[in-house]
Amino acid sequence: MSTMRETPVFSPTQTTTFIRDETAWYLRYMMKRMPRTIGKKEIAGMLGTAFADGAAVYHNALRDHAEVGEPTVPAFDETWIKQAAAVAVQSAKDAKAEVLAREQTVYADQNEAWELLETRAAQAVFKYALNFPFDPADIVASELSLPNHGHARIDLVLNSLYGPMVVDLKTKLTLDIKYQAQLLREFEASWQMLHYTWAYGDLIGERVRRFAILLHVLEPKSRLPVLHPVVVTPELLQIWEQSARQVWRRMEGIRTGTPVLMDPLPACSFNFFSKFGREDWADAIAKCFLDESLLDANYIKEKQ
């Protein structure tokens, strides 16, 4: 297992922003600048956070109920779910208050989403509870904060047949069913989820072999949550950590104004998909782990 002393650790959000565009990262995190007007992305993020906050209350109620040895755990308890929904609504209200306190405005085409934020947060919690996909006895932790690992916050940790599994709740208002499989596939190399997998494994001193995405689509009401587990090989996680530490060293170098030596190997962005589909180099990381002995199966070598 790695140690936290080698390299400053930045959050998954900061790191992916830096990888995507260093100037965007510098503007947001070094210059502390935010857009004057917010839109769909920001409101969707507020909804996701509010839902996660409410879901955590429900998770904890289920876990506590299971821990005291109750013979059965109800799939839906009205008191618990009302409490969880109330937390989600308050979280949404607090997020909106922060936006207004910063004197930000909302794009006109997002006014409806803004007005319905609290209602949708409550609806998300109710629908999730009605279709809760896990055994409450398997819940280890909810909304787990890891300040020594880039302030990562893991929505849910479960016990599974393969050991501990970290789960992230992804919320979407709508999603055409024909795009669902592709969206879930794109999460399979998620920087955020690899960070969570590494961080929790480092915390407990044990290899974490799986993470999972819980996709929660609010409309139509008949759409059930979809759990998408992903196997994480030690080879892939090693490449991720090597890349992460390279990126974090560069981020810290910019933050402190300290020159950073370049590494002999490139840092991988783990952005395996573009508008054209899966990148042709993705399998070199995900399946071959940049191992020359494995690359021949999928890649030819240019003659000198």
Side-chain angles (χ1 to χ4, degrees), residues 242-243 246 263-268 290:
Q242 170 192 300
S243 297
Q246 289 187 48
D263 291 89
L265 291 175
C268 177
L290 293 180

Side-chain angles (χ1 to χ4, degrees), residues 196-207:
Y196 289 172
T197 301
W198 162 78
Y200 189 67
D202 192 81
L203 177 72
I204 65 174
E206 178 182 338
R207 179 187 162 199

Side-chain angles (χ1 to χ4, degrees), residues 231-298:
V231 176
V232 181
T233 65
E235 294 88 353
L236 183 65
L237 203 57
Q238 182 179 5
I239 292 176
W240 175 86
E241 184 178 351
Q242 170 192 300
S243 297
R245 292 195 179 281
Q246 289 187 48
V247 175
W248 294 334
R249 281 194 290 271
R250 174 152 174 73
M251 293 169 72
E252 179 68 1
I254 294 174
R255 189 185 72 82
T256 61
T258 305
V260 177
L261 294 176
M262 297 300 293
D263 291 89
L265 291 175
C268 177
S269 69
F270 285 81
N271 292 325
F272 286 178
F273 289 85
S274 71
K275 65 180 181 180
F276 300 108
R278 187 174 170 84
E279 296 282 9
D280 56 16
W281 53 265
D283 283 348
I285 301 294
K287 295 181 180 180
C288 302
F289 318 117
L290 293 180
D291 187 328
E292 285 279 8
S293 66
L294 300 176
L295 288 171
D296 286 343
N298 294 321

